[in-house]
Amino acid sequence: MYRRLLINIYQVRNGLIHTQNTRLPSTKCKERESLASAIWAPCTARPLGTSSIFFNENKESSTSQLEDKGKKPEENEANAEINTAEQKKTEVNEGTKKSNAALTSQLETEPVVKPEDSNQVEKSKSGKENLLELLGAMKVEVTTVRKIRPSKTPRMSERPDQEPMESAHSMFQHAAAEGSQQHGTLNPALAAAVSAAASTLPNKHQAESELLKQLRKHEAVPDTKRRADGQNLGHIIADMKVGRRANGRSNARPTSQIRFDDDGKGYTQDRGIIGELDGVRRRKSPFTSKRLNIFTAGVEQDALSHLGPTLWDIDLANQIVQTTNQMPRNGFEEMIQWTKEGKLWQYPINNEAGLEEEASVPFHEHVFLEKHLDESFPRQGPVRHFMELVITGLAKNHHLTVQQKKEHIDWFRDYFQQKDDVLKEAEA
Amino acid sequence: MASSCSQALRHHVCKSNRILRVYLQKSWPNRSFVLSSAADQPAVSSPEEIVIPRKKTWSKEAVLQALASTVNRDPTASDYRLQDDPYLTPKTSSEFKLFSLSQESGKNAAKYFINTYPKYFQKDYAQPHIPCLMPETLEAQIEEVSEAALIERIQMRKVKAAVDLYDQLLQAGTSVSLDVTNQLLDLICFYGDSDPAQENVPEQRNEETEDIQDEPQAKKGRAPKANDLLKATWKENNNAERIFALLSEPNPHSYSALIRGMVKYGAYSKAFSIYTDLLNNRLKADVHTFNALITAAPEVKEKYNEKWELIVDLLKQMAEQKVKPNLLTLNTVLKALRRCGTLGKSQAFPVISEMKALSIEPSLASYNHLLAIFYKPGAPIQGQTDILQEVMNEVSGKSFTPQDPDDAQFFITALRICLDTKDMEQAYRVHELLGVGENWRLLGNDFQQNIYHARFFSLLCMMENIDVVLKWYRDLVPSVYYPSSNVMRDLLQALDTDNRLDLIPQIWKDIKQLGHGNRQKLVEELLTLMAREKHNQEVQESLAECALDIKKMYDAGDRGKVMLSWTATSLSDLTSVLLAAQRRQDAWEMLKLFKAHNRVPSEELLNKFLTCIKDSGDVDQAVELVQITAGFCLPETPKLIQRVQQEFELSEQQKNILSDLELQTFNSD
């Protein structure tokens, strides 16, 4: 991004020198914007207002960067020119940004102006093959932007009193007042460059003073802050790159453009930052991609009459068992395996362990055993009394099953029947 | 103060009373329904119904599982199943193989005898009865011709007998129910109209006694399976087709059985024609049928896009017939996509998303197919690394249950990719996944485990520093993994790169224990590494000890074992190691071995030797060395003679010997 901006600036500077066209700012602006729209290509789908905001952010960060460059001790003519060019663009862009919002509604009505404008664009760029290449590689949306932008910048310069321009205009005047006061503090070479640059603008005086004001503002920035800016620069660059990555680098972009964007040594480094931030920012995994859309969720399967597992199911289970590791890793796992195979007594998991055969017998069968006494035992007497004691004991015995308890009672029944005569004799 | 306080209090009570009343009125209707709960609760609490927690049912293995989870792997102990007898605990991979094979075959032999002679094993000692310990009945019990007899034969998987009985039943005029016929069809189709090989009949297997090498191409584990499949093919008009044709009204199950059998035995286009038949009869296929057809799809079409179109077509028909796909459908589609070239890459993720939308969670097999689609073995890897990462993001931390036979391939595939891309980070993640839940079961059988660990360890040797490598080495070897000689060489290289050659004696012990002590290449590499650099006294001493141990390896010709043969390099390496440790006497023995094995020592070695002799000042030996050198007719002999003459104080006799030698060599030149 940073590199691209630099390239752009150099090209713009060339344009400044070669073509002393009054419309130049507008073409510069166009170039910048078309570039920016290449950066934010997918953004163009959004309303223009937002895209221009992005664009503005861009520009700001780039200017701060340029400051750093420009303030180096070996500050020379060329640098100054970059700076001025940048400043000029800044101001013009600010203007366009403002007018942009107002003009978005007029977009559809404007295309009439297109032919001549595009001609001029062509003319101004005739010497700059690189730029043409770049523009040629741009997306379709970019051309629509180009159509619109030129039409409003000339207008702006022609009728500076237009309503959306008001604030900008007043700012210019304010700057002019200030600029005249502080003229002497600036580097004369810079000032000369500024005036030369300003001469290309329609509103020469105002432009010049504005440029100077901007320069001075940057001069006044304390060193510490500048350093801090430099530190922030990394973040800014990173942010910019993420933005680009998130949008672009899609397959739709022509390869030639990519090559142009990323030439030079910054390429691999860029990739690294992009890659890292990509991982953080872009949480979109291919697993959440679009689906085939063949089935509709929630369709109930027709209940097929199944007679238990078929041979195929058994085979599948067998295959799975065979491919997986079923070896026990310790003694407990081996015991689990044995439990499953039925070779091992189960570990108790509740108080009913080992009561499988009694599980279906309710407790009252165990406790209320009087019903078994009714048929053949005497209604009263010592035998009855004895048997009542027996069933009380049985009721409390948890070792016997109901069946065993019944058998126990039956044994006594037999016994007392056999001893019937003896009992009778003893008048029981 | 107090009055205001009480006033406030009264006010508050009043207020709360009012609230209470309102509240009670509100909750009144509820009360009538939930009388008991409202009565138990104070009126202020909410009239929620008490939710009685459901009775927790524990599986019968719950206690054991809890206990098992407390046991961790002990890297110093051998595997649990090898612990029966310390004497028999295997130390090398071949021993391990022998051990597990014999364990397995012992079980099989016992089973074979029990099943072959059931009459001797009728006594039931167990109380309660344990069915799995009783002999299985292998002979049909019902003799008469009836449907019950047919069912019995089907359950015993006796294909021929069942078909015969079915024919007899038809001839006798008794009709067989459709369900039973379908079961019969299942049986015939499953075994391709031939009796299954008896599991408990001892097979004549050609024993592979050689070590498992970690070459991924070695597919010994799968070879017999593939052979079986190749042998059996779908025969024209076999019993299945004949019985199917006899059915007056085949139902989807009958079609399913036939189609699955045809696909299993390679009659792919036939399967599709049966499917058309099914559609013509206005029947609906079941999900298994579709799975089988999707498996067959790549076989019947030539071009990639045709294959894919056919699959999509089948899926659409599934949707039309309201058949809900299952996990196996997903995996089959992905498996088919592996054979659709580049189409696979574009369609794999939509397929997975589709299945996820149907709340079918992919199993490890799905991910395995996915990885196989994106990383073809042997193909250059470019920009694909993130797919593995995505997959790992998706699976890490999850515990998988085996659901597909291909599940066990995942870990191997993932590590293959890690090894190809040299991606240590992902390898660690794969290894971590292996430790989650029951995932270790999905690593597969011993063979696959070996491949997995070999890949993991090779990658470690390549990418990590030696301390980390050794940490893993101590952890894995030999409790879960017996490295092959190739992997040991990787380890040696790792030692070399990190300059930790002092660890060689330790590694040599392991090498010997792992049974690689007789690997020529490995031992020679070891010797070269030992001889290459000069170390401090202590290390040099231990290296010399190790060298002598290696020498024993050469000497001891164990019966039947492959003998190492001395080469010039191994001899001179060993000698120089001994010389570096000032073991002149041992080195002298080594020098004699040159002659015995017809090898020629290098000039460098002889010079080294001479320097060593000079340090000790043994003139006799120096002269003897020159004599030996002369015996080899080395061109360097004159130089050595000169050196001896200059550097040693010689007696008359020795001088004579030397001048004689000088003359000899001169003449021979």
Side-chain angles (χ1 to χ4, degrees):
Chain A
M1 180 73 202
Y2 168 54
R3 292 184 54 79
R4 214 192 307 164
L5 278 179
L6 262 188
I7 290 161
N8 181 33
I9 286 154
Y10 277 112
Q11 281 165 350
V12 167
R13 186 165 55 98
N14 287 342
L16 197 82
I17 291 157
H18 291 307
T19 59
Q20 296 289 330
N21 192 339
T22 44
R23 287 269 176 93
L24 198 68
S26 70
T27 52
K28 262 186 286 166
C29 171
K30 269 176 269 163
E31 287 157 14
R32 277 270 312 173
E33 278 176 0
S34 47
L35 248 178
S37 51
I39 299 158
W40 301 100
C43 273
T44 47
R46 301 183 203 171
L48 266 171
T50 48
S51 81
S52 68
I53 286 161
F54 272 117
F55 170 52
N56 214 35
E57 271 172 23
N58 240 351
K59 172 198 71 203
E60 267 159 26
S61 56
S62 64
T63 33
S64 66
Q65 231 166 303
L66 278 164
E67 281 160 38
D68 273 6
K69 277 259 166 183
K71 298 292 146 56
K72 279 180 182 171
E74 64 269 21
E75 190 177 90
N76 55 17
E77 184 75 24
N79 265 342
E81 263 195 34
I82 298 166
N83 235 339
T84 49
E86 182 60 29
Q87 295 322 316
K88 234 177 287 168
K89 266 185 287 151
T90 314
E91 99 184 40
V92 175
N93 288 338
E94 258 165 25
T96 32
K97 187 193 121 197
K98 279 171 188 135
S99 59
N100 230 357
L103 284 173
T104 34
S105 55
Q106 298 174 10
L107 290 184
E108 285 82 33
T109 60
E110 294 296 334
V112 198
V113 204
K114 182 204 155 194
E116 43 174 306
D117 259 308
S118 55
N119 272 347
Q120 278 166 353
V121 172
E122 237 55 28
K123 231 187 283 166
S124 66
K125 275 177 245 147
S126 55
K128 301 166 269 169
E129 270 93 10
N130 280 349
L131 205 56
L132 270 179
E133 249 179 54
L134 171 68
L135 288 170
M138 257 146 212
K139 290 183 92 178
V140 190
E141 290 98 314
V142 175
T143 57
T144 65
V145 173
R146 223 194 302 165
K147 260 184 249 163
I148 298 148
R149 292 280 160 76
S151 61
K152 54 199 175 194
T153 13
R155 251 201 200 195
M156 178 187 80
S157 49
E158 277 155 27
R159 293 178 283 157
D161 293 339
Q162 207 186 359
E163 204 183 38
M165 275 300 292
E166 228 168 44
S167 57
H169 184 63
S170 61
M171 192 178 70
F172 283 179
Q173 281 171 345
H174 180 63
E178 257 180 26
S180 58
Q181 288 165 8
Q182 300 171 347
H183 194 276
T185 61
L186 275 173
N187 188 337
L190 255 181
V194 166
S195 57
S199 66
T200 62
L201 284 165
N203 200 347
K204 188 183 164 186
H205 184 66
Q206 276 184 0
E208 193 185 339
S209 54
E210 164 69 5
L211 286 173
L212 287 172
K213 184 200 138 201
Q214 285 289 336
L215 279 177
R216 215 167 287 115
K217 217 193 276 172
H218 296 139
E219 201 97 301
V221 174
D223 270 19
T224 48
K225 200 204 163 200
R226 228 181 292 155
R227 224 166 286 137
D229 277 353
Q231 280 169 353
N232 286 336
L233 210 63
H235 299 290
I236 294 163
I237 294 171
D239 279 346
M240 286 153 68
K241 270 162 195 157
V242 168
R244 186 185 68 177
R245 170 65 186 221
N247 302 325
R249 204 158 289 288
S250 62
N251 301 334
R253 286 179 94 186
T255 46
S256 65
Q257 199 189 339
I258 291 169
R259 222 177 294 135
F260 179 73
D261 287 349
D262 298 317
D263 62 349
K265 61 180 178 180
Y267 180 67
T268 41
Q269 218 177 359
D270 284 2
R271 279 296 299 258
I273 298 167
I274 292 161
E276 270 176 44
L277 284 159
D278 218 24
V280 182
R281 286 277 185 97
R282 203 185 54 158
R283 281 285 92 192
K284 189 171 166 285
S285 86
F287 286 100
T288 54
S289 65
K290 63 174 174 58
R291 44 181 284 214
L292 285 175
N293 278 321
I294 291 175
F295 297 97
T296 46
V299 171
E300 286 303 305
Q301 190 185 5
D302 294 350
L304 288 167
S305 56
H306 265 307
L307 309 150
T310 61
L311 204 56
W312 302 94
D313 299 332
I314 296 166
D315 176 61
L316 178 71
N318 237 343
Q319 273 184 30
I320 290 171
V321 166
Q322 265 172 12
T323 53
T324 54
N325 180 10
Q326 297 295 334
M327 288 297 171
R329 290 183 303 178
N330 53 49
F332 293 122
E333 281 180 356
E334 193 171 38
M335 283 160 92
I336 291 175
Q337 210 167 326
W338 285 343
T339 313
K340 280 179 183 163
E341 286 168 6
K343 290 179 189 169
L344 192 73
W345 174 76
Q346 291 176 24
Y347 259 77
I349 42 167
N350 52 27
N351 290 335
E352 277 88 48
L355 289 176
E356 286 79 23
E357 46 188 320
E358 288 289 290
S360 56
V361 181
F363 86 100
H364 56 82
E365 297 270 327
H366 277 276
V367 177
F368 303 118
L369 298 167
E370 283 87 355
K371 59 181 175 184
H372 301 299
L373 297 185
D374 288 343
E375 312 112 41
S376 44
F377 291 100
R379 285 241 161 224
Q380 60 233 29
V383 173
R384 178 75 192 188
H385 181 64
F386 174 77
M387 279 320 291
E388 269 168 5
L389 289 177
V390 167
I391 60 166
T392 313
L394 285 176
K396 289 177 181 174
N397 191 333
H398 50 267
H399 292 294
L400 300 177
T401 64
V402 171
Q403 193 53 42
Q404 282 168 322
K405 288 178 183 177
K406 272 185 206 159
E407 280 166 15
H408 201 85
I409 295 166
D410 288 343
W411 185 87
F412 278 111
R413 184 180 295 125
D414 283 355
Y415 180 81
F416 286 124
Q417 273 167 5
Q418 277 170 22
K419 306 285 176 189
D420 207 21
D421 345 327
V422 186
L423 286 172
K424 280 227 172 88
E425 228 171 81
E427 61 87 34
Chain B
M1 182 71 197
S3 66
S4 72
C5 225
S6 67
Q7 212 173 9
L9 199 68
R10 208 181 309 140
H11 179 72
H12 180 76
V13 168
C14 241
K15 212 168 158 189
S16 59
N17 253 345
R18 207 177 327 126
I19 293 170
L20 200 69
R21 221 176 303 132
V22 170
Y23 197 83
L24 278 177
Q25 276 165 359
K26 249 192 236 164
S27 67
W28 197 248
N30 281 349
R31 269 189 136 190
S32 58
F33 292 113
V34 215
L35 255 183
S36 62
S37 72
D40 287 347
Q41 286 166 354
V44 254
S45 75
S46 67
E48 276 174 24
E49 285 194 48
I50 294 171
V51 183
I52 299 164
R54 292 173 61 89
K55 186 186 174 189
K56 179 112 185 169
T57 42
W58 297 91
S59 74
K60 54 185 175 179
E61 302 98 16
V63 175
L64 286 170
Q65 270 163 354
L67 286 171
S69 68
T70 61
V71 184
N72 288 329
R73 192 175 75 83
D74 176 9
T76 60
S78 57
D79 198 83
Y80 175 71
R81 66 191 141 139
L82 311 175
Q83 283 173 357
D84 264 355
D85 187 345
Y87 178 74
L88 290 175
T89 302
K91 290 183 187 70
T92 70
S93 57
S94 54
E95 275 177 29
F96 170 76
K97 193 150 194 217
L98 198 64
F99 187 99
S100 40
L101 281 179
S102 13
Q103 205 174 33
E104 211 42 44
S105 68
K107 280 181 195 164
N108 284 344
K111 219 174 195 175
Y112 170 75
F113 276 106
I114 291 174
N115 289 335
T116 323
Y117 306 103
K119 55 182 174 176
Y120 300 125
F121 299 95
Q122 288 304 331
K123 187 140 180 71
D124 192 2
Y125 292 101
Q127 187 65 248
H129 175 69
I130 300 171
C132 76
L133 292 182
M134 299 310 287
E136 293 167 32
T137 44
L138 291 172
E139 296 304 315
Q141 304 294 311
I142 308 168
E143 286 302 322
E144 87 245 33
V145 179
S146 70
E147 200 170 309
L150 179 60
I151 292 170
E152 189 191 43
R153 275 155 187 75
I154 289 170
Q155 271 162 2
M156 286 178 161
R157 306 195 180 184
K158 291 180 180 296
V159 179
K160 290 253 153 59
V163 171
D164 287 346
L165 196 70
Y166 183 78
D167 288 342
Q168 284 173 25
L169 277 169
L170 284 197
Q171 274 164 18
T174 34
S175 65
V176 181
S177 78
L178 188 59
D179 275 341
V180 177
T181 319
N182 283 341
Q183 280 181 34
L184 179 64
L185 269 177
D186 267 343
L187 182 71
I188 300 169
C189 292
F190 182 77
Y191 287 109
D193 196 19
S194 57
D195 266 322
Q198 282 295 325
E199 276 168 30
N200 45 12
V201 170
E203 263 178 80
Q204 291 296 315
R205 259 192 226 160
N206 45 342
E207 279 305 323
E208 310 125 80
T209 39
E210 69 260 54
D211 290 7
I212 305 165
Q213 292 297 319
D214 343 296
E215 268 70 58
Q217 294 90 333
K219 283 180 179 162
K220 284 169 200 153
R222 306 185 109 202
K225 225 175 170 184
N227 281 345
D228 286 348
L229 284 178
L230 281 180
K231 253 190 292 171
T233 49
W234 191 260
K235 289 179 200 75
E236 201 69 29
N237 292 321
N238 64 7
N239 283 322
E241 285 184 45
R242 187 172 57 83
I243 291 172
F244 183 77
L246 288 174
L247 287 175
S248 55
E249 266 186 29
N251 69 359
H253 189 154
S254 337
Y255 278 107
S256 167
L258 201 62
I259 290 172
R260 290 172 93 178
M262 284 170 169
V263 172
K264 186 175 177 186
Y265 291 100
Y268 303 113
S269 43
K270 216 165 190 179
F272 275 97
S273 63
I274 297 288
Y275 175 64
T276 338
D277 219 38
L278 175 145
L279 290 183
N280 289 340
N281 284 350
R282 291 158 193 270
L283 289 170
K284 285 178 181 175
D286 62 358
V287 64
H288 305 295
T289 316
F290 279 113
N291 289 352
L293 287 173
I294 291 168
T295 313
E299 309 283 350
V300 293
K301 297 284 182 192
E302 284 286 318
K303 287 182 190 151
Y304 290 154
N305 57 338
E306 283 177 358
K307 288 177 186 179
W308 175 238
E309 275 161 23
L310 182 58
I311 293 168
V312 170
D313 191 43
L314 283 168
L315 290 176
K316 280 180 179 156
Q317 288 182 36
M318 277 177 92
E320 257 171 49
Q321 298 179 25
K322 291 198 167 49
V323 176
K324 196 170 184 292
N326 58 15
L327 176 70
L328 290 178
T329 318
L330 165 68
N331 289 349
T332 329
V333 172
L334 285 173
K335 203 172 182 179
L337 270 176
R338 284 167 75 163
R339 304 176 54 188
C340 289
T342 47
L343 254 173
K345 295 188 183 181
S346 58
Q347 298 301 333
F349 282 112
V351 169
I352 288 186
S353 307
E354 179 79 13
M355 293 306 159
K356 275 191 173 167
L358 298 175
S359 60
I360 298 169
E361 267 303 305
S363 75
L364 281 183
S366 327
Y367 293 115
N368 173 47
H369 295 318
L370 191 67
L371 289 178
I373 287 169
F374 280 93
Y375 304 86
K376 297 255 186 268
I381 303 125
Q382 280 166 351
Q384 303 286 352
T385 28
D386 40 348
I387 296 293
L388 177 63
Q389 204 178 341
E390 293 291 350
V391 169
M392 287 317 295
N393 285 345
E394 199 73 6
V395 298
S396 57
K398 284 187 195 167
S399 172
F400 289 88
T401 45
Q403 288 169 292
D404 187 295
D406 284 332
D407 277 352
Q409 299 291 324
F410 174 79
F411 286 105
I412 295 178
T413 316
L415 262 199
R416 170 176 65 78
I417 294 158
C418 291
L419 192 61
D420 286 351
T421 56
K422 312 256 181 303
D423 193 344
M424 200 62 236
E425 193 194 337
Q426 299 304 324
Y428 279 134
R429 289 180 78 187
V430 173
H431 197 71
E432 198 185 329
L433 178 70
L434 194 61
V436 177
E438 291 271 281
N439 285 353
W440 59 273
R441 288 197 189 278
L442 291 163
L443 186 51
N445 53 28
D446 297 329
F447 180 68
Q448 286 170 317
Q449 282 170 33
N450 212 354
I451 295 176
Y452 172 87
H453 284 118
R455 284 177 180 165
F456 185 62
F457 197 69
S458 300
L459 190 59
L460 277 170
C461 288
M462 227 184 292
M463 307 299 293
E464 286 287 7
N465 71 34
I466 192 67
D467 293 324
V468 181
V469 174
L470 283 178
K471 199 193 101 221
W472 282 104
Y473 177 76
R474 297 285 164 231
D475 190 48
L476 296 175
V477 179
S479 62
V480 289
Y481 172 51
Y482 303 100
S484 71
S485 59
N486 286 338
V487 176
M488 287 315 278
R489 280 166 71 191
D490 286 347
L491 178 65
L492 286 181
Q493 273 160 16
L495 282 175
D496 187 16
T497 38
D498 274 1
N499 228 346
R500 292 294 302 276
L501 295 178
D502 52 310
L503 292 170
I504 282 185
Q506 236 176 310
I507 303 294
W508 164 250
K509 263 186 207 160
D510 290 347
I511 289 175
K512 226 169 53 170
Q513 203 180 41
L514 289 165
H516 299 313
N518 53 0
R519 301 278 168 146
Q520 186 97 22
K521 263 186 175 173
L522 181 66
V523 174
E524 275 176 24
E525 196 171 322
L526 194 75
L527 285 172
T528 315
L529 282 177
M530 281 161 66
R532 207 183 53 196
E533 280 165 43
K534 250 189 135 24
H535 306 274
N536 62 33
Q537 195 55 39
E538 205 178 319
V539 175
Q540 210 58 260
E541 199 57 37
S542 69
L543 285 183
E545 283 297 326
C546 173
L548 286 177
D549 201 39
I550 294 174
K551 184 175 167 242
K552 267 185 221 153
M553 210 64 210
Y554 276 90
D555 295 341
D558 261 5
R559 65 242 129 53
K561 279 209 171 169
V562 192
M563 274 268 284
L564 291 166
S565 60
W566 288 108
T567 62
T569 30
S570 58
L571 274 171
S572 44
D573 283 340
L574 226 166
T575 316
S576 48
V577 171
L578 291 172
L579 281 177
Q582 302 294 329
R583 302 224 178 174
R584 207 151 42 84
Q585 205 45 50
D586 292 321
W588 191 250
E589 299 286 320
M590 288 306 299
L591 202 62
K592 285 179 184 161
L593 283 176
F594 275 98
K595 192 83 182 167
H597 291 92
N598 293 324
R599 308 285 173 203
V600 180
S602 67
E603 182 198 358
E604 196 193 343
L605 177 71
L606 291 169
N607 272 322
K608 240 190 246 176
F609 213 123
L610 199 59
T611 318
C612 187
I613 293 173
K614 195 191 152 200
D615 289 345
S616 63
D618 190 341
V619 186
D620 288 339
Q621 206 165 32
V623 174
E624 210 174 326
L625 178 75
V626 176
Q627 277 175 320
I628 289 173
T629 319
F632 287 118
C633 298
L634 288 174
E636 294 87 22
T637 320
K639 279 186 220 160
L640 275 179
I641 294 171
Q642 220 175 357
R643 246 189 96 185
V644 174
Q645 280 169 341
Q646 283 168 3
E647 295 175 9
F648 291 85
E649 285 183 14
L650 301 165
S651 66
E652 265 321 296
Q653 197 190 354
Q654 286 162 337
K655 274 179 188 166
N656 285 338
I657 294 170
L658 283 183
S659 50
D660 276 359
L661 281 174
E662 211 167 1
L663 219 70
Q664 271 175 29
T665 47
F666 185 74
N667 288 342
S668 65
D669 284 351

